Amino acid sequence: MTVIEKAKKIRLLICDVDGVLTDGKIYIGNDGELFKAFDVKDGLGVKMLLANNIDVAILTARSSEILKRRTQELGITNVLQGQRDKVKGLQQLLEATHLLPEQIAYIGDDLPDYAVIQKVGLAACPSDAVEEIAQLADFKSVHRGGAGAVRELAEFILKTQGKWDNTLESMFLHPDLNARHHY
């Protein structure tokens, strides 16, 4: 099956966080506070998927209050943090959404994603993913993690599903009809 055929079936995009929605760096201040940077282009990609009834979920081994705030801002409701066994997390999402594995895309970048990325319909990675993940990926972004890889994947899914023109029309030509503007 081609990557286009796989993308046409997607109803849910699951994202890893560190190295996918961020550049993978964690900054720690003198008082122990954590900092992570998220790309607004990736945020807009998430919003475009959600506006087209393609759900987005987070599946990450780490836990942080920063991620909780960012996902709330974007409207992501399926957020599984602290998931060392990501296959179990995938199973939870399958049960919660009643979707089949072939209806799910997963974007990951490193070895903790190795098992789960093999169990979904569309495997994706940023350009700076480790070799073992890149070899498994159906879709390889030209962008690095935290720098537009999720956005590129979102656009690819929307275009292959014939939803791109409507997205441009409804979100950007008539934005007053779409109340969510935080990317």
Side-chain angles (χ1 to χ4, degrees):
M1 185 179 300
T2 69
V3 66
I4 291 172
E5 291 169 324
K6 291 179 178 188
K8 286 181 179 181
K9 296 180 179 185
I10 300 306
R11 308 275 23 105
L12 170 67
L13 170 61
I14 302 173
C15 299
D16 177 37
V17 177
D18 296 316
V20 173
L21 286 170
T22 75
D23 63 7
K25 295 177 182 151
I26 299 170
Y27 300 91
I28 302 173
N30 287 334
D31 296 325
E33 68 275 23
L34 296 177
F35 301 93
K36 296 182 185 193
F38 296 91
D39 191 313
V40 295
K41 290 181 180 129
D42 288 331
L44 181 56
V46 166
K47 289 286 198 170
M48 290 186 297
L49 289 172
L50 293 172
N52 282 280
N53 296 314
I54 298 172
D55 203 2
V56 178
I58 300 296
L59 181 56
T60 181
R62 295 181 56 86
S63 295
S64 75
E65 191 64 30
I66 298 164
L67 179 61
K68 182 179 175 187
R69 291 186 68 184
R70 181 64 174 149
T71 57
Q72 286 174 343
E73 183 179 64
L74 293 175
I76 300 171
T77 57
N78 286 314
V79 181
L80 300 177
Q81 297 196 64
Q83 300 289 310
R84 297 216 183 279
D85 184 342
K86 290 189 175 188
V87 173
K88 286 183 181 175
L90 172 63
Q91 190 59 43
Q92 284 181 265
L93 288 168
L94 287 168
E95 291 170 13
T97 61
H98 306 290
L99 294 173
L100 299 171
E102 58 265 22
Q103 295 174 298
I104 296 176
Y106 183 89
I107 183 166
D109 71 306
D110 208 346
L111 296 178
D113 306 307
Y114 188 74
V116 72
I117 205 167
Q118 297 180 64
K119 298 190 178 300
V120 297
L122 178 63
C125 70
S127 65
D128 58 341
V130 298
E131 182 179 338
E132 292 80 2
I133 299 301
Q135 288 176 349
L136 296 171
D138 303 302
F139 178 91
K140 296 175 185 114
S141 175
V142 299
H143 300 285
R144 299 174 60 84
V150 172
R151 166 68 171 275
E152 182 184 3
L153 177 58
E155 287 187 18
F156 176 73
I157 291 169
L158 293 171
K159 288 173 182 176
T160 59
Q161 292 186 6
K163 298 177 178 179
W164 183 246
D165 290 340
N166 185 58
T167 301
L168 293 176
E169 174 81 21
S170 65
M171 291 184 76
F172 307 108
L173 288 177
H174 304 290
D176 53 320
L177 301 177
N178 188 346
R180 295 175 162 177
H181 296 292
H182 300 286
Y183 310 124

